[in-house]
């Protein structure tokens, strides 16, 4: 164990304790925090669910999960045995509020044992239709009355549209103070995403260039090779716009576009981000076809295996109108960014899994080199690669060695792997620790979520009211629909990819 945490005793109640998120992310994250010495000295993890488990059986289940999904591989015996003694299970059927009585009893017993300063974190890793019910039960059974020491963590999706997000915010605000609410967007916990703030605001080099005078356009591209897998049921009611753009991609855009905060305080950062969303140009229905493109994958071959088209995935309507790809061109109407396009794209079953932000700078004002010297000419680009490669590259022109003046683009690279020999924590490790520390910087505030919904609603409404006539319109393992190329090509640009094959 490396560190000794000075956190107050903590009780973690996980609704959805037998679910997929806990299995793949939360349990491994809590265990890794424990092995690194970040967990409080006194803590308890209470898994809840409808299944009847004894504590012992539940501990065995969690052990299997951690062994399978932890970034550190299988657990170490001694560490595990001191960790598992903190795990409990409390059968709770959300639809039968009476079962909250057991939970209350367990929580109160632990509180007495741990002392007055014990903090309780309720993590809602369940389907979103249960969020209101759980919040109401927590209130009814007086489980969150201590404002300073109780918190609720809410997974995405936060609402399914603007109206439902507002309703949920309203309901939560009647039970909790904003200080108690932690709305998760796991992208914000990613190491490279956090580094964007360090990169922008801990270096004096970039800020003078970070505006419309030097930047030509910005691309945020999050592509995945995977299809919807067994999440077809959920995805049918979501689509790429709701699933990725409304939250993850717009959060990335905010980090690129925000003004410099005066401090690293949670609300200061979140104020600056919400300002970006409010400055974004809203779409009129008639502008959507020229600024947004949707796509849906058909069958194809991925790494030698035939994969089904979206309409043939489990839980998906064979005539589905749900988009598995979306590309949108946004503008931020303020002094810094006026007239600079932000192109966002995301899709499933794409040719590559990669999340990159590319900032393309304007060309030099005057070319002094001959055309022979500049055959591979490329404007400066800053490429922030979030995953799988974790790097920041600044692409500049340099003279190729030799007797002639010939230029070509080269990369100045900051690569995590080559620079640090420590492992990178998973996003959930960072976010769970922040929740325990009461730090909301990397969590979404209610107004932020609503502003993001407000922005995408006109596109959602238009796409839902007008069925796409050409779905499926891109093949699995491709770069998405042709219209997405046209969206950016008509402005004279093209989508950048890594490895950097493009010129
Ligand atoms: C989730 C979406 O929020 O993010 C998924 O619901 C998506 O559809 C996932 O696959 C991508 O996250 P990551 O961390 O794998 O890039």
């Amino acid at each position: 164990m490396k560190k000794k945490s000075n956190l107050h005793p903590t009780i973690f109640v996980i609704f959805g304790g037998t679910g997929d998120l806990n299995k793949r992310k939360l349990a491994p994250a809590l265990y890794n925090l424990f092995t690194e010495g970040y967990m409080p000295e006194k803590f308890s993890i209470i898994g809840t669910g409808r299944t009847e488990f004894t504590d012992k059986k539940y501990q065995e289940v969690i052990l299997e999960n951690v062994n399978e999904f932890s970034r550190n591989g299988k657990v170490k015996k001694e560490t595990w045995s001191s960790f598992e003694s903190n795990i409990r299970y409390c059968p709770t059927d959300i639809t039968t509020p009476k079962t909250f009585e057991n939970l209350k009893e367990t929580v109160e017993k632990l509180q007495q044992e741990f002392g007055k300063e014990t903090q309780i974190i309720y993590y809602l890793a369940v389907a979103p239709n249960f969020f209101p019910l759980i919040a109401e039960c927590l209130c009814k059974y007086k489980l969150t009355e201590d404002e300073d020491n109780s918190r609720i963590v809410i997974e995405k999706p936060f609402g399914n549209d603007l109206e439902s997000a507002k309703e949920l915010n309203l309901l939560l605000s009647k039970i909790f103070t904003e200080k108690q609410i932690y709305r998760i967007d796991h992208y914000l916990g990613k190491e490279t995403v956090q580094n964007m703030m360090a990169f922008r605001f801990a270096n004096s080099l970039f800020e003078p260039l970070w505006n419309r005078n030097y930047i030509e356009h910005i691309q945020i591209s999050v592509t995945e090779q995977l299809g919807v897998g067994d999440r077809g049921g959920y995805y049918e009611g979501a689509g790429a716009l709701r699933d990725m753009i409304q939250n993850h991609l717009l959060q990335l855009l905010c980090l690129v576009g925000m003004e410099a905060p005066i401090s690293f305080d949670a609300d200061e950062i979140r104020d600056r981000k919400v300002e970006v969303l409010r400055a974004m140009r809203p779409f009129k229905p008639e502008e959507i076809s020229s600024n947004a493109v949707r796509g849906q994958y058909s069958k194809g071959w991925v790494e030698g295996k035939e994969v089904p088209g979206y309409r043939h995935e489990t839980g998906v309507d064979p005539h589905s109108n749900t988009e598995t790809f979306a590309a949108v061109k946004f503008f931020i109407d303020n002094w810094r960014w006026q007239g600079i396009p932000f192109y966002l794209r995301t899709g499933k079953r794409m040719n590559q899994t990669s999340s990159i932000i590319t900032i393309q700078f304007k060309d030099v004002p005057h070319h002094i080199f001959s055309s022979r010297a500049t055959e591979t000419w490329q404007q400066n680009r800053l490429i922030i690669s979030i995953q799988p490669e974790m790097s920041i590259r600044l692409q500049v022109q340099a003279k190729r060695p030799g007797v002639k003046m010939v230029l070509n683009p080269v990369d100045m690279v900051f690569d995590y792997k080559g620079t640090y020999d420590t492992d990178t924590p998973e996003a959930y490790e960072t976010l769970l620790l922040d929740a325990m520390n009461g730090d909301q910087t990397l969590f979404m505030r209610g107004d932020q979520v609503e502003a993001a919904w407000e922005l995408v609603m006109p596109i959602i409404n238009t796409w839902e009211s007008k069925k796409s006539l050409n779905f499926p319109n891109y093949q699995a393992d491709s770069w998405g629909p042709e219209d997405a190329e046209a969206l950016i090509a008509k402005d004279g640009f093209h989508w950048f990819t890594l490895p950097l094959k493009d010129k």
Side-chain angles (χ1 to χ4, degrees):
M1 219 172 282
K2 292 176 187 152
K3 306 185 178 61
K4 264 268 148 279
S5 153
N6 51 10
L7 277 172
H8 289 169
T10 303
I11 303 170
F12 241 103
V13 179
I14 300 178
F15 290 98
T18 54
D20 212 49
L21 183 71
N22 189 43
K23 172 164 130 185
R24 288 169 187 274
K25 300 288 182 190
L26 306 182
L30 288 167
Y31 176 70
N32 286 334
L33 286 173
F34 179 76
T35 59
E36 300 278 329
Y38 287 113
M39 288 302 277
E41 218 172 301
K42 290 186 194 164
F43 74 95
S44 179
I45 298 165
I46 309 175
T48 81
R50 270 183 300 187
T51 322
E52 290 286 338
F53 281 132
T54 58
D55 287 350
K56 184 93 200 83
K57 178 73 197 145
Y58 187 62
Q59 288 162 4
E60 281 165 23
V61 171
I62 298 297
L63 171 61
E64 258 175 51
N65 301 160
V66 175
N67 276 336
E68 187 175 354
F69 294 107
S70 164
R71 67 182 164 91
N72 292 324
K74 294 203 166 165
V75 304
K76 290 205 183 87
K77 241 182 168 178
E78 322 79 72
T79 323
W80 176 258
S81 54
S82 40
F83 180 72
E84 77 170 353
S85 57
N86 299 287
I87 303 176
R88 286 171 180 70
Y89 187 75
C90 189
T92 312
D93 180 355
I94 303 162
T95 54
T96 319
K98 237 183 128 20
T99 55
F100 272 73
E101 281 169 10
N102 306 337
L103 181 64
K104 188 176 168 69
E105 210 178 287
T106 315
V107 166
E108 284 177 351
K109 231 192 251 164
L110 283 164
Q111 270 174 318
Q112 270 172 13
E113 191 188 313
F114 287 175
K116 259 208 327 264
E117 287 189 313
T118 307
Q119 48 178 12
I120 312 183
I121 298 175
Y122 298 95
Y123 200 114
L124 274 51
V126 291
N129 51 318
F130 293 123
F131 295 166
L133 207 56
I134 296 177
E136 278 162 357
C137 285
L138 291 175
C139 172
K140 183 170 164 202
Y141 286 91
K142 301 193 174 21
L143 283 159
T144 52
E145 287 201 319
D146 180 351
E147 277 180 31
D148 295 324
N149 287 316
S150 61
R151 289 166 208 147
I152 181 166
V153 183
I154 303 202
E155 263 297 325
K156 73 171 267 267
F158 195 93
N160 193 45
D161 52 20
L162 177 59
E163 210 179 309
S164 53
K166 278 186 172 169
E167 268 171 33
L168 184 55
N169 271 334
L170 186 66
L171 179 126
L172 293 174
S173 70
K174 288 182 184 155
I175 302 172
F176 307 95
T177 61
E178 184 63 34
K179 211 172 76 185
Q180 290 175 282
I181 309 172
Y182 288 67
R183 298 173 191 80
I184 280 221
D185 182 318
H186 79 279
Y187 262 63
L188 296 179
K190 289 184 189 272
E191 189 65 38
T192 18
V193 173
Q194 291 179 72
N195 200 20
M196 282 170 64
M197 266 192 285
F199 190 72
R200 280 196 63 193
F201 304 123
N203 296 296
S204 58
L205 199 61
F206 299 104
E207 181 53 23
L209 310 178
W210 211 262
N211 56 54
R212 65 189 298 281
N213 298 326
Y214 295 94
I215 290 175
E216 182 184 70
H217 79 277
I218 290 170
Q219 298 182 15
I220 301 178
S221 167
V222 178
T223 57
E224 296 179 276
Q225 274 189 307
L226 288 175
V228 291
D230 53 12
R231 295 169 74 225
Y234 149 76
Y235 201 85
E236 266 295 87
L241 210 51
R242 284 187 171 96
D243 187 48
M244 296 293 287
I245 296 209
Q246 185 273 341
N247 37 73
H248 307 323
L249 276 83
L250 282 177
Q251 283 302 308
L252 297 179
L253 181 146
C254 286
L255 287 169
V256 176
M258 71 199 265
E259 293 302 314
I262 56 165
S263 71
F264 206 61
D265 283 353
D267 272 329
E268 173 63 16
I269 304 277
R270 299 190 299 177
D271 283 346
R272 298 291 81 78
K273 283 164 72 179
V274 95
E275 276 168 13
V276 175
L277 292 169
R278 292 209 177 112
M280 288 178 73
R281 193 178 301 167
F283 289 115
K284 298 194 187 87
E286 64 275 18
E287 291 165 346
I288 286 164
S289 60
S290 51
N291 289 291
V293 170
R294 56 180 154 167
Q296 190 189 73
Y297 61 83
S298 63
K299 67 178 179 185
W301 291 81
V302 175
E303 288 169 356
K305 266 201 194 148
E306 192 168 23
V307 295
Y310 176 69
R311 290 179 176 184
H312 292 93
E313 301 273 18
T314 317
V316 172
D317 175 355
H319 305 287
S320 174
N321 184 45
T322 301
E323 80 285 353
T324 58
F325 173 99
V328 187
K329 172 170 140 187
F330 287 108
F331 286 98
I332 303 175
D333 285 334
N334 62 15
W335 275 52
R336 187 184 285 269
W337 296 117
Q338 188 55 239
I340 305 303
F342 283 69
Y343 301 96
L344 271 51
R345 82 166 165 183
T346 186
K348 296 214 179 273
R349 279 279 181 247
M350 303 276 288
N351 176 264
Q352 213 178 68
T353 294
S354 113
S355 303
I356 56 171
I357 299 174
T358 309
I359 290 143
Q360 165 123 328
F361 291 90
K362 290 188 170 165
D363 205 355
V364 295
H366 173 57
H367 282 245
I368 60 167
F369 300 100
S370 71
S371 55
R372 236 178 309 139
T374 57
E375 272 172 13
T376 58
W377 184 263
Q378 181 191 287
Q379 288 160 233
N380 296 144
R381 277 181 210 158
L382 181 68
I383 303 175
I384 301 167
S385 178
I386 296 166
Q387 58 187 30
E389 179 181 308
M390 295 169 63
S391 65
I392 298 179
R393 294 162 185 268
L394 183 60
Q395 300 191 318
V396 296
Q397 299 287 349
K399 181 188 170 298
R400 200 183 288 169
V403 290
K404 290 191 180 153
M405 173 57 83
V406 178
L407 304 176
N408 71 315
V410 292
D411 288 6
M412 294 163 72
V413 186
F414 156 54
D415 173 25
Y416 277 69
K417 270 208 180 125
T419 311
Y420 302 114
D421 53 15
T422 48
D423 263 1
T424 313
E426 280 255 352
Y428 276 94
E429 291 170 37
T430 305
L431 295 172
L432 290 175
L433 184 61
D434 283 358
M436 284 191 274
N437 272 315
D439 181 352
Q440 292 183 303
T441 313
L442 301 179
F443 294 83
M444 318 260 284
R445 212 170 48 192
D447 55 347
Q448 239 179 317
V449 179
E450 289 182 18
W453 275 120
E454 202 163 340
L455 192 67
V456 296
M457 279 324 291
I459 313 177
I460 290 178
N461 290 337
T462 305
W463 285 358
E464 281 181 355
S465 64
K466 279 192 209 143
K467 254 186 119 114
S468 169
L469 298 176
N470 66 351
F471 274 5
N473 60 352
Y474 71 97
Q475 217 179 348
D477 199 33
S478 72
W479 279 110
E482 275 173 23
D483 286 352
E485 301 299 328
L487 174 80
I488 188 162
K490 68 182 182 220
D491 297 337
F493 312 129
H494 65 280
W495 294 105
F496 302 132
T497 55
L498 274 179
L500 306 164
K501 299 174 206 128
D502 52 296
K503 291 270 126 58

